Amino acid sequence: MTNKKALITGASRGIGATIAARLAKEGYDLILTARDQSKLATVQKECEQLGVEVLVSTADLSSEPEIIDLFLKAGFIDLLVNNAGFGIFEEITDTKLEDWQAIQKVNAEGAFLCMREAMRTMKQQNGGRIINISSVVGVKGYPSQAAYGASKHALIGLTKTAIEEGRDHNIRVHAICPGGVATEMVKEARPDLTDFSAMIQPKDVADAVAYLCSLPTNITIDCIHLRRAASPQTW
Ligand code: NAP
């Protein structure tokens, strides 16, 4: 057991649920959050079977009061995984302002507020780790991903700032930028795709999270670019 506590956003399904199970295996006690209580309860059960303590706390990450309440309930944490996010995929000329704003609200602003609350307690305890799940879309431009891509670029910008602000407080901050991962998000966005076997799997992202958590405090990795070997280089 690590005696460490991790808060994972977007833990009700997909990459977040897989990260939760992986961190439970590593011995982390968990605070799992998302909006869907019943899906969170399923993930909670799976993680508890691995012998760790798991608290579920629902929150809509577009709400500052709900985020503040979540972190009050969580108390001191050693690790924040900012994973929650969603996309609406349109070209710039077809993007509605309300869709743009909804995406920035959760993917950028929600992640910022979680980092703010986490870093406040991590500064008090002189240490911690934050892992932001950005995307290849946070590094490169893709058609029909204007709002989503901007939000993921914002998360990279936040990560860079937090790396600097966290350094002297023993707070290590990382981004992971995966290419396409076989989850419901992709299945919903690309109903035409039928074969997901060649894609990155949620487990691959969870393994990258576990690796970052294993780093000694005197070294760090700013960003992991995780891509299918068949895709062009990311950076
Ligand atoms: P997913 O299956 O759609 O899961 C998204 C998670 O975010 C869910 O747990 C969802 O929970 C939560 N969420 C969404 N809106 C929320 C809100 N307003 N408040 C609180 N929680 C919210 O997606 P995924 O593929 O696992 O993606 C996870 C992260 O990886 C996202 O940030 C995504 O951008 C990023 N990513 C995904 C891919 C990919 O190809 N799949 C690639 C690169 C990066 P509730 O609905 O229960 O609230």
Side-chain angles (χ1 to χ4, degrees):
M1 292 293 129
T2 62
N3 291 323
K4 287 190 172 178
K5 213 160 83 170
L7 189 154
I8 305 164
T9 72
S12 61
R13 68 177 200 173
I15 295 170
T18 309
I19 291 170
R22 178 60 204 260
L23 289 176
K25 239 186 223 167
E26 300 290 330
Y28 279 82
D29 290 329
L30 301 173
I31 300 113
L32 305 179
T33 189
R35 292 163 302 178
D36 190 318
Q37 168 86 49
S38 75
K39 283 190 187 147
L40 283 171
T42 305
V43 180
Q44 177 183 30
K45 230 184 214 170
E46 283 168 18
C47 294
E48 281 174 344
Q49 280 165 3
L50 295 163
V52 297
E53 282 182 23
V54 186
L55 174 79
V56 159
S57 184
T58 54
D60 185 336
L61 295 191
S62 64
S63 160
E64 184 186 26
E66 290 190 30
I67 292 173
I68 290 172
D69 187 51
L70 167 69
F71 279 83
L72 275 176
K73 283 182 190 145
F76 285 104
I77 55 168
D78 301 278
L79 170 67
L80 164 66
V81 183
N82 253 327
N83 164 77
F86 77 105
I88 298 166
F89 303 103
E90 300 282 6
E91 289 193 12
I92 291 171
T93 45
D94 294 326
T95 298
K96 295 189 198 88
L97 180 60
E98 70 211 55
D99 290 345
W100 164 274
Q101 288 171 336
I103 290 172
Q104 310 316 319
K105 188 95 186 149
V106 173
N107 296 9
E109 189 177 298
F112 152 68
L113 289 169
C114 289
M115 287 172 76
R116 186 187 73 185
E117 297 307 304
M119 287 182 82
R120 283 178 176 167
T121 60
M122 286 174 181
K123 277 186 177 181
Q124 285 176 39
Q125 70 199 18
N126 193 36
R129 189 180 300 282
I130 297 174
I131 300 176
N132 292 326
I133 309 298
S134 180
S135 168
V136 62
V137 179
V139 185
K140 291 174 72 169
Y142 288 85
S144 298
Q145 307 218 15
Y148 181 69
S151 74
K152 291 297 177 182
H153 273 74
L155 195 50
I156 295 286
L158 273 167
T159 305
K160 289 179 179 174
T161 302
I163 287 169
E164 296 305 311
E165 293 185 2
R167 184 191 297 128
D168 292 342
H169 300 277
N170 203 26
I171 301 169
R172 301 290 169 256
V173 187
H174 324 269
I176 299 178
C177 292
V181 185
T183 67
E184 294 306 312
M185 175 190 265
V186 171
K187 289 174 192 164
E188 287 160 10
R190 295 287 308 274
D192 56 306
L193 292 181
T194 49
D195 183 6
F196 294 92
S197 57
M199 290 181 83
I200 298 165
Q201 300 301 312
K203 179 189 173 301
D204 302 321
V205 183
D207 286 345
V209 167
Y211 172 63
L212 289 172
C213 292
S214 76
L215 292 172
T217 52
N218 63 320
I219 63 156
T220 192
I221 293 172
D222 298 335
C223 185
I224 291 181
H225 297 282
L226 190 61
R227 64 177 170 85
R228 286 181 298 134
S231 302
Q233 66 180 23
T234 306
W235 52 280

